[in-house]
Amino acid sequence: MFPNLGLLREETMFYLHDGTHTGRSLLGIGNHHSLRFTHPHKDVYEQLDAYLKCPGWKMGYLSYDLKNATEDLRSNDLNPHHWPSLLFVVPRIVLSIERGKITILQGEDQPDLNSILEAIEAPHTDFDIETLELQPRISKHEYLHQLETVQKHIQRGDIYEMNFCQEFFHPNAHIEPSHTYTALHKQTKAPFSCYMRTSDHYLMCGSPERYLSKTGQKVISQPIEGTIRRGKNKEEDEVLKAALKSDPKERSENIMITDLVRNDLNKVAVPGTVTVPELCEIYSFETVHQMISTVEATLPPSCSIGELLKATFPMGSMTGAPKIKAMEIIDSLEHVQRGIYSGAVGYVDPEGNCDFNVVIRS
């Protein structure tokens, strides 16, 4: 069952699809109370840890520009969307939706719960999809010139690889966010997609990538580097998967980022527990095949979620290697702050387990 998000009118809402690969989705509705940072602060992770001690489920996001609180970095001045650096909320109501069954995880005593359940289960109405022509933030000529600059950094040995991004936008678009997200999800069925609404922002994200999850003291991160299209039939699919699996460029990029994730987790993990049970494995999604590696580690009981995030954020697949130098070059070349793009959205449950995606395809 896919919930009818368009009928829910709360100012704050998080819909996290299938973050556990089990078919379960989580829906957080309303805002009992929240932690919000407009700009990065050096003690943001400590204050997040204090907030996460609140009882109940917590849902929220970290924007890419929170890197400035993690390292001695800056961001570009142009911030057209004004995303806060961090927002976490304790929703009034949290629902688990799994194989058509709705389970109330938080908020059984809310007076509007029945009307919310009726809205979620209401049938979807058809809607028209408007085709928009997006504009690049950087001209093609300037983009190619900046790529030459990146190549020179690689040739000098400043970095091994870098994720260089630009924004595509439409200045006067009027869309219905929940309908747009529903259409996006139907096309991609991405396992870490999410829909988020706050009082002044919407996020529609079709991400296939997990940043990290924590269950007890066990942590998993699954960086993605390497993509190829799906085939027209099963035979072509297998040929394309084999081509991606053996591509030396894609494998080298994936292995470099996997090593970066290993190094990040080693900052906080129990010594000797960081392992790579999957290296350059091919996962198939609705529209593409992806090359994914899995890195696992065990945390000591003393390691908090804030300390784990501080050691690993932002994720290497969206920066490059070495991470700090790559982020410095990104700041010098990209014209706008990434905001929530390249950040992470996820949840922390009452037992201290968590799961966060990588905000891409958003």
Side-chain angles (χ1 to χ4, degrees):
M1 180 185 71
F2 196 81
N4 197 333
L5 301 174
L7 295 181
L8 302 176
R9 296 304 174 191
E10 292 271 357
E11 281 198 346
T12 303
M13 181 167 61
F14 286 83
Y15 176 69
L16 312 175
H17 174 74
D18 195 13
T20 58
H21 283 292
T22 64
R24 183 185 77 166
S25 300
L26 294 175
L27 178 60
I29 302 166
N31 181 354
H32 184 58
H33 55 76
S34 62
L35 175 71
R36 178 187 180 110
F37 282 89
T38 303
H39 302 291
H41 291 274
K42 293 302 180 183
D43 62 347
V44 62
Y45 294 104
E46 289 78 9
Q47 292 197 39
L48 175 60
D49 270 335
Y51 183 77
L52 294 179
K53 292 177 181 177
C54 295
W57 288 75
K58 279 74 64 173
M59 294 182 174
Y61 73 81
L62 300 84
S63 81
Y64 173 78
D65 298 291
L66 202 65
K67 65 183 174 57
N68 302 342
T70 311
E71 305 291 348
D72 185 18
L73 298 167
R74 60 175 296 277
S75 294
N76 293 299
D77 294 330
L78 183 57
N79 179 15
H81 308 297
H82 305 290
W83 284 92
S85 294
L86 177 145
L87 175 67
F88 273 79
V89 308
V90 174
R92 290 194 306 111
I93 296 170
V94 178
L95 305 174
S96 169
I97 303 172
E98 186 171 3
R99 297 178 176 88
K101 179 183 178 182
I102 299 177
T103 303
I104 303 167
L105 302 177
Q106 186 161 291
E108 296 98 331
D109 57 348
Q110 295 296 311
D112 56 346
L113 179 59
N114 286 335
S115 61
I116 286 173
L117 293 174
E118 290 173 2
I120 291 170
E121 295 176 315
H124 289 268
T125 56
D126 293 332
F127 55 91
D128 296 326
I129 298 177
E130 181 182 358
T131 300
L132 299 174
E133 183 151 349
L134 301 178
Q135 303 176 26
R137 183 69 68 177
I138 307 171
S139 69
K140 182 178 180 179
H141 174 77
E142 185 176 3
Y143 182 76
L144 294 175
H145 175 72
Q146 289 174 324
L147 285 183
E148 291 177 357
T149 301
V150 175
Q151 289 174 330
K152 290 177 181 177
H153 280 291
I154 293 174
Q155 290 164 356
R156 286 200 299 264
D158 299 329
I159 52 173
Y160 308 118
E161 61 177 313
M162 195 189 91
N163 189 324
F164 178 50
C165 302
Q166 71 158 312
E167 180 188 34
F168 288 81
F169 69 100
H170 191 294
N172 299 306
H174 296 280
I175 65 174
E176 208 299 317
S178 65
H179 288 168
T180 303
Y181 171 72
T182 300
L184 172 67
H185 181 77
K186 284 182 178 179
Q187 288 187 26
T188 64
K189 295 182 175 62
F192 293 96
S193 74
C194 66
Y195 173 80
M196 184 182 72
R197 179 170 76 221
T198 66
S199 57
D200 49 2
H201 289 96
Y202 289 86
L203 171 68
M204 296 146 277
C205 174
S207 175
E209 185 170 0
R210 169 180 271 146
Y211 162 35
L212 58 80
S213 71
K214 174 181 176 289
T215 304
Q217 301 309 120
K218 189 64 163 271
V219 175
I220 296 175
S221 184
Q222 293 182 298
I224 291 179
E225 290 288 347
T227 306
I228 200 167
R229 65 178 176 85
R230 291 296 303 261
K232 298 183 178 67
N233 50 53
K234 185 176 180 180
E235 290 74 21
E236 186 182 13
D237 242 359
E238 293 303 316
V239 170
L240 291 169
K241 286 167 63 177
L244 178 59
K245 179 80 171 177
S246 61
D247 188 303
K249 171 186 173 295
E250 304 287 15
R251 289 185 65 86
S252 64
E253 289 183 1
N254 191 293
I255 291 169
M256 281 190 280
I257 294 303
T258 300
D259 195 47
L260 187 155
V261 172
R262 287 175 60 252
N263 290 336
D264 282 350
L265 286 174
N266 263 314
K267 298 174 188 175
V268 290
V270 174
T273 65
V274 178
T275 61
V276 184
E278 291 183 314
L279 182 64
C280 299
E281 291 297 324
I282 307 302
Y283 283 62
S284 297
F285 299 96
E286 194 76 5
T287 57
V288 293
H289 303 292
Q290 305 272 194
M291 184 180 287
I292 302 178
S293 294
T294 300
V295 186
E296 295 183 353
T298 302
L299 299 178
S302 60
C303 181
S304 66
I305 288 178
E307 290 170 324
L308 173 63
L309 295 173
K310 186 175 183 179
T312 59
F313 189 83
M315 55 294 301
S317 61
M318 298 308 295
T319 58
K323 184 192 284 189
I324 296 176
K325 186 62 178 180
M327 290 191 291
E328 289 175 351
I329 298 170
I330 287 169
D331 287 338
S332 71
L333 295 178
E334 293 184 7
H335 283 207
V336 297
Q337 292 183 27
R338 290 188 180 182
I340 197 170
Y341 180 78
S342 301
V345 177
Y347 71 84
V348 180
D349 73 13
E351 287 72 46
N353 305 310
C354 66
D355 208 354
F356 289 89
N357 76 352
V358 180
V359 180
I360 53 177
R361 301 176 191 175
S362 59

